[in-house]
Amino acid sequence: MKFTQLPFPTTFFLLLLLLRSITGDNSDVEYDDPQHAIALNCGFLHNSTAIDGRQWVGETDSASITSFHGPGSKSVAPSSSNDHRSQSLDPTPYMTARASQSSFTYTFHVGSGYKFIRLHFNPAASYSAFKRSTAFFTVKSGPYTLLNNFTAFLPVDSRSLKSIVKEFTLYVPDDGIPLSITFSPLKAIVPWDETFAFVNGIEVVPMPTGLYYTMEGDGNADAGAYVVGQKCRFYLGRDTAMEMAYRLNVGGIKLSSVHDPSMFREWTDDSNHIIESTVFPNISTNKIKYTKTSKDSAPQILYQSSWSMNRSLQDGEGVSFTWKLPVDSGFSLSGI
């Protein structure tokens, strides 16, 4: 496991992302508003409402915007369990799943542009006819392998998590081909007739052009995201897909998707990652006046919290903020 250390001066607040590039093709697209977002409750036929009030579509009721192919797949529900983690989850989408010992594909009829793809898993539960220990699978979308040799059960058991959400960004090209997401059991891990793939929920959410990716067609040769601690910029084009590792609200509390009704992002608090003992939280109620930065970059509440360094430090004394963030090998750093 690799740890990434980040030094920053003075009072600091930001949305922090660690992103893994996935790579794979080459139009400026306006931001779709949130009613074009799709939240699919896998394994459930009809529309339902989550505890936070968000509407999730069922596999039958969403036929005009999604389609499904997977002979032999099953709609399954968690087996009755005394596991408090599973019992405390929102029934939508975590109390049903689509599972199969062969490949299955969801197809989403969405416009071209940059999208968030979120995959929801409830591995704290057991699913009838499927062994928890044999859920090893890959997830692919177009030219991208989003997950490879993935099992949700091991990290949930080792870290006592309730659920797992894997989030990606990618570009859907304007070529008339719909967005497809395929789940395939890995047959080489355990006996081929036992491995299975499953998913509880899928979100496909449009994102603004230029939010995380480099704006195109503006004639700016210096376009791109700034690299922390360097003068150069990093270009992120539409041929790159990324996986989100961390999204932190620096100095603040955890923010749920309710705080971000346009793109339904979540931020965790960073208190378990910052290692400085001389910092204190700084909370502001000032309203943000957006100029060059889009109001869609992050919810206003995120900009109202920060860490400040202890004011007793002498002038000229070295000041830095340091976070330690465990990441899998293959991740690169991007602070946005």
Side-chain angles (χ1 to χ4, degrees):
M1 185 167 287
K2 180 175 68 177
F3 287 84
T4 302
Q5 189 177 62
L6 311 176
F8 293 103
T10 66
T11 301
F12 192 75
F13 57 92
L14 89 170
L15 145 66
L16 181 65
L17 295 173
L18 285 176
L19 302 164
R20 177 167 64 90
S21 297
I22 307 175
T23 71
D25 150 335
N26 229 283
S27 294
D28 253 355
V29 181
E30 294 299 320
Y31 175 52
D32 294 312
D33 58 41
Q35 61 256 36
H36 292 102
I38 300 171
L40 177 66
N41 191 1
C42 300
F44 196 73
L45 296 180
H46 304 295
N47 298 344
S48 56
T49 304
I51 292 174
D52 63 6
R54 188 176 179 192
Q55 298 295 308
W56 289 68
V57 296
E59 292 179 341
T60 298
D61 291 345
S62 66
S64 63
I65 53 176
T66 68
S67 56
F68 172 78
H69 179 75
S73 71
K74 297 180 180 180
S75 171
V76 295
S79 303
S80 57
S81 170
N82 292 325
D83 191 318
H84 69 281
R85 292 174 295 174
S86 182
Q87 292 176 345
S88 62
L89 284 171
D90 191 334
T92 301
Y94 292 109
M95 290 299 106
T96 58
R98 176 64 60 180
S100 180
Q101 292 177 332
S102 57
S103 296
F104 60 92
T105 299
Y106 286 99
T107 300
F108 297 86
H109 303 283
V110 296
S112 65
Y114 296 99
K115 313 291 181 185
F116 289 109
I117 308 295
R118 299 189 186 103
L119 308 176
H120 295 255
F121 302 98
N122 172 11
S126 295
Y127 296 94
S128 58
F130 298 99
K131 292 182 181 179
R132 292 177 79 246
S133 60
T134 61
F136 290 90
F137 53 95
T138 63
V139 182
K140 295 185 177 182
S141 180
Y144 306 112
T145 298
L146 303 181
L147 295 171
N148 185 38
N149 190 15
F150 174 71
T151 176
F153 293 101
L154 294 178
V156 157
D157 288 345
S158 63
R159 294 155 56 191
S160 297
L161 301 174
K162 294 181 180 180
S163 61
I164 290 180
V165 179
K166 288 290 188 177
E167 180 180 297
F168 308 88
T169 63
L170 53 79
Y171 182 79
V172 177
D174 186 15
D175 56 8
I177 300 175
L179 171 69
S180 64
I181 302 176
T182 299
F183 299 78
S184 301
L186 287 178
K187 300 303 183 182
I189 302 299
V190 293
W192 68 270
D193 59 342
E194 293 186 7
T195 54
F196 75 100
F198 81 103
V199 63
N200 296 85
I202 302 174
E203 294 180 66
V204 179
V205 181
M207 58 189 286
T209 301
L211 178 63
Y212 301 150
Y213 288 83
T214 304
M215 292 289 287
E216 299 174 9
D218 58 6
N220 184 2
D222 295 326
Y226 284 101
V227 178
V228 174
Q230 302 180 34
K231 294 181 179 180
C232 62
R233 299 189 189 187
F234 184 71
Y235 180 87
L236 291 174
R238 63 183 56 177
D239 59 345
T240 300
M242 296 183 288
E243 179 183 353
M244 191 277 292
Y246 295 92
R247 183 182 284 118
L248 302 179
N249 181 15
V250 172
I253 62 173
K254 177 180 178 180
L255 302 178
S256 73
S257 58
V258 174
H259 295 95
D260 185 16
S262 61
M263 284 172 278
F264 311 102
R265 294 164 293 181
E266 295 185 353
W267 281 261
T268 55
D269 74 88
D270 68 331
S271 58
N272 291 328
H273 301 290
I274 191 166
I275 62 174
E276 302 297 332
S277 60
T278 56
V279 299
F280 59 91
N282 185 20
I283 306 299
S284 169
T285 58
N286 293 333
K287 294 293 183 180
I288 304 299
K289 181 180 180 181
Y290 295 92
T291 53
K292 293 183 179 181
T293 301
S294 168
K295 64 180 178 61
D296 296 311
S297 298
Q300 180 143 177
I301 189 174
L302 184 124
Y303 295 102
Q304 295 176 335
S305 64
S306 62
W307 290 115
S308 290
M309 187 61 72
N310 192 323
R311 292 188 175 90
S312 64
L313 290 173
Q314 298 296 318
D315 289 342
E317 186 175 345
V319 176
S320 67
F321 293 88
T322 303
W323 288 260
K324 281 192 173 180
L325 302 162
V327 295
D328 296 329
S329 62
F331 276 82
S332 57
L333 176 69
S334 178
I336 301 177

